[in-house]
């Protein structure tokens, strides 16, 4: 009876204090994704079952992470950092490729785990903690503080790239980092200095760290007739993906009736990288707006909770989670519209992928947990 009473109290507290609205938005987006995945994988129903399982696990993690005290995790940031690097390091030994994600997956039979996706959460927490800690000490924006933050960032990005050769995930990390730094109050001079250094290093990095196929994939949307005359890299971008979205009109051709998105030989990766093409062709402009509205509302909700948290750590973690959704959304939709390189970035909650779905739900759970907990003692007199 005591155990049952504890469970009931926990449920009551979750319903009354956790962010049920954010959970509803996340679950609604995931269900939307399941409908689309089922539409284009009707001959591969196993993928639907895998996604359903990932959504269920994700919802459970949302509830669990709502009870996680972000301050406790942040205080153990060194251990979290070591775990993150060790987890990413497993790709050097056991990393396998799925499609274009060469080396970025760990395989356990039929189950695949993408460490680069999962480690986005520790990355956001660690960077947010470092910024908030330096701000408390009033040393933020000093050269030493910035150097420490950048070194940690380079460790994460370096392991993501060199262990998994995952350019798409690396770009997401870079986007999250820039947005969190901006939200933390980084002075403009540091962005200018970073931009200048990156500009100087770009030719060296371009020639020595990217494979030819990766360079071509990045350049193809901008000079397709020169880099990719046979449409080897951007076949669907320049023609079919945009055509699919355009032919959907206002209300689409109907689920399962997309002429281009239902044909594997036409648009590849319909259920992952190019699921937005499915939305456009089968659900039309209205469907595209609905998907984007759901994701934008999630972003706004995360930012709102961060601002209401009244402490820098909670605010920055919420901004980091919002940035993760925003960068994924921009990159994925950009790929479908032919204005971004095809670098394997899924659409949040919508695209097929267990690691991605679970990570987004867990991240939303952290945001919900920040809403649930009272203002930390060290911030109450600020």
């Amino acid at each position: 009876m005591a155990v049952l009473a504890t469970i009931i109290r926990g449920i009551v507290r979750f319903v009354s204090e956790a962010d049920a609205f954010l959970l509803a938005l996340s679950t609604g987006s995931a269900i939307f994704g399941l409908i689309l995945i089922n539409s284009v994988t009707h001959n591969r129903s196993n993928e639907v079952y895998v996604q359903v399982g990932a959504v269920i696990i994700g919802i459970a993690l949302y509830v669990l992470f709502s009870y996680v005290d972000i301050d406790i995790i942040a205080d153990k940031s060194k251990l979290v950092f070591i775990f993150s690097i060790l987890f990413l390091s497993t790709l050097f030994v056991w990393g396998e490729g799925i499609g274009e994600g060469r080396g970025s997956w760990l395989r356990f039979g039929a189950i695949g785990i993408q460490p680069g996706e999962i480690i986005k959460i520790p990355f956001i927490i660690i960077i947010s903690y470092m910024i908030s800690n330096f701000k408390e000490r009033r040393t933020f924006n000093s050269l030493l503080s910035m150097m420490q933050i950048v070194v940690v960032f380079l460790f994460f990005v370096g392991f993501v790239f060199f262990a998994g050769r995952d350019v798409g995930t690396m770009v997401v990390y870079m986007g999250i980092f820039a947005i969190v730094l901006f939200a933390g109050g980084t002075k403009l001079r540091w962005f200018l200095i970073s931009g200048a250094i990156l500009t100087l290093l770009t030719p060296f990095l371009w020639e020595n760290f990217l494979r030819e196929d990766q360079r071509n994939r990045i350049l193809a949307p901008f000079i397709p007739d020169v880099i990719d005359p046979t449409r080897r890299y951007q076949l669907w971008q320049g023609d079919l993906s945009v055509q699919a979205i355009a032919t959907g009109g206002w209300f689409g051709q109907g689920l399962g009736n997309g002429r281009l998105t239902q044909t594997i030989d036409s648009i590849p990766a319909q259920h992952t990288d190019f699921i937005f093409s499915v939305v456009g062709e089968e659900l039309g402009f209205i469907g595209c707006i609905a998907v984007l509205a759901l994701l934008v509302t999630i972003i706004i909700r995360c930012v709102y909770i961060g601002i209401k948290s009244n402490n820098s750590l909670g605010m920055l973690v919420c901004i980091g989670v919002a940035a993760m959704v925003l960068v994924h959304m921009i990159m994925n939709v950009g790929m479908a519209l032919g204005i971004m390189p095809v670098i394997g970035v899924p659409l949040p909650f919508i695209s097929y992928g267990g690691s991605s779905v679970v990570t987004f739900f867990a991240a939303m759970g952290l945001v919900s947990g920040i809403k649930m907990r009272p203002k930390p003692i060290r911030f109450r007199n600020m």
Side-chain angles (χ1 to χ4, degrees), residues 1-16 67:
M1 293 297 293
V3 174
L4 180 60
T6 302
I7 294 174
I8 293 175
R9 283 197 298 270
I11 293 174
V12 171
R13 184 192 171 202
F14 178 81
V15 172
S16 60
Y67 290 98

Side-chain angles (χ1 to χ4, degrees), residues 13 61-77 80 121 125 129 311 313-314 317 362 365-380:
R13 184 192 171 202
L61 287 178
Y62 182 101
V63 176
L64 176 63
F65 274 67
S66 293
Y67 290 98
V68 171
D69 192 330
I70 194 70
D71 287 280
I72 294 176
I73 299 178
D75 288 338
K76 305 293 183 183
S77 59
V80 175
I121 294 178
I125 294 173
Y129 174 71
N311 73 80
L313 176 59
V317 169
L366 279 181
V367 175
S368 174
I370 290 170
K371 175 180 178 292
M372 285 179 67
R373 275 172 294 283
K375 197 175 182 181
I377 295 175
R378 66 175 181 270
F379 290 107
R380 288 177 186 168

Side-chain angles (χ1 to χ4, degrees), residues 9-78:
R9 283 197 298 270
I11 293 174
V12 171
R13 184 192 171 202
F14 178 81
V15 172
S16 60
E17 298 180 14
D19 199 322
F21 181 53
L22 186 58
L23 177 59
L25 289 171
S26 303
T27 305
S29 300
I31 292 173
F32 206 142
L34 282 169
I35 293 172
L36 294 168
I37 293 167
N38 182 67
S39 174
V40 294
T41 62
H42 42 79
N43 293 323
R44 308 188 302 278
S45 59
N46 182 60
E47 292 171 336
V48 176
Y49 297 142
V50 170
Q51 191 76 350
V52 169
V55 171
I56 293 172
I57 294 172
I59 292 173
L61 287 178
Y62 182 101
V63 176
L64 176 63
F65 274 67
S66 293
Y67 290 98
V68 171
D69 192 330
I70 194 70
D71 287 280
I72 294 176
I73 299 178
D75 288 338
K76 305 293 183 183
S77 59
K78 292 182 180 178

Side-chain angles (χ1 to χ4, degrees), residues 10 14 32 99 115 165 170 180 190 207 231 241 253 259 280 286 293 303 324 330 356 365:
F14 178 81
F32 206 142
R165 293 290 174 179
M170 182 185 71
V180 173
W190 293 118
E207 292 295 332
R231 296 300 190 263
S241 179
Q253 306 298 317
R259 181 177 60 84
I286 299 300
V303 173
M324 182 171 68
I330 291 174
S356 175

Side-chain angles (χ1 to χ4, degrees), residues 18 24 68 91 101 120 135 162 192 229 231 233 245 247 252 278 281 308 318 350 371 375 381:
V68 171
L91 294 173
K120 287 173 186 172
K135 288 174 74 71
F162 289 109
L192 295 176
R231 296 300 190 263
Y233 301 104
I245 295 172
T247 56
V278 180
E281 185 175 35
K308 296 289 287 185
C318 290
I350 308 293
K371 175 180 178 292
K375 197 175 182 181
N381 296 322

Side-chain angles (χ1 to χ4, degrees), residues 41 87-88 93-94 109-110 136 160 173 201 217 223 229 234 256 280 290 293 303-304 339 352 361 378:
T41 62
F87 190 29
L88 290 171
V93 182
W94 298 293
E136 282 187 59
V160 166
Y173 276 78
L201 289 177
R217 191 173 295 280
I223 45 176
Q234 308 296 128
V303 173
Y304 172 79
I339 58 176
Y352 172 79
F361 267 107
R378 66 175 181 270

Side-chain angles (χ1 to χ4, degrees), residues 236-296:
W236 47 86
Q237 278 201 348
D239 301 312
L240 299 179
S241 179
V242 176
Q243 287 179 29
I245 295 172
T247 56
W250 281 96
F251 301 102
Q253 306 298 317
L255 287 171
N257 296 322
R259 181 177 60 84
L260 296 173
T261 53
Q262 289 292 327
T263 305
I264 296 177
D265 293 335
S266 294
I267 301 178
Q270 305 102 316
H271 61 310
T272 53
D273 295 351
F274 287 91
I275 200 164
F276 194 73
S277 301
V278 180
V279 179
E281 185 175 35
E282 298 193 357
L283 299 179
F285 181 74
I286 299 300
C288 292
I289 293 298
V291 168
L292 295 178
L294 276 171
L295 296 179
V296 169

Side-chain angles (χ1 to χ4, degrees), residues 188-203:
L188 178 61
R189 67 171 181 268
W190 293 118
F191 287 105
L192 295 176
I193 292 172
S194 299
I197 294 174
L198 185 60
T199 300
L200 292 174
L201 289 177
T202 295

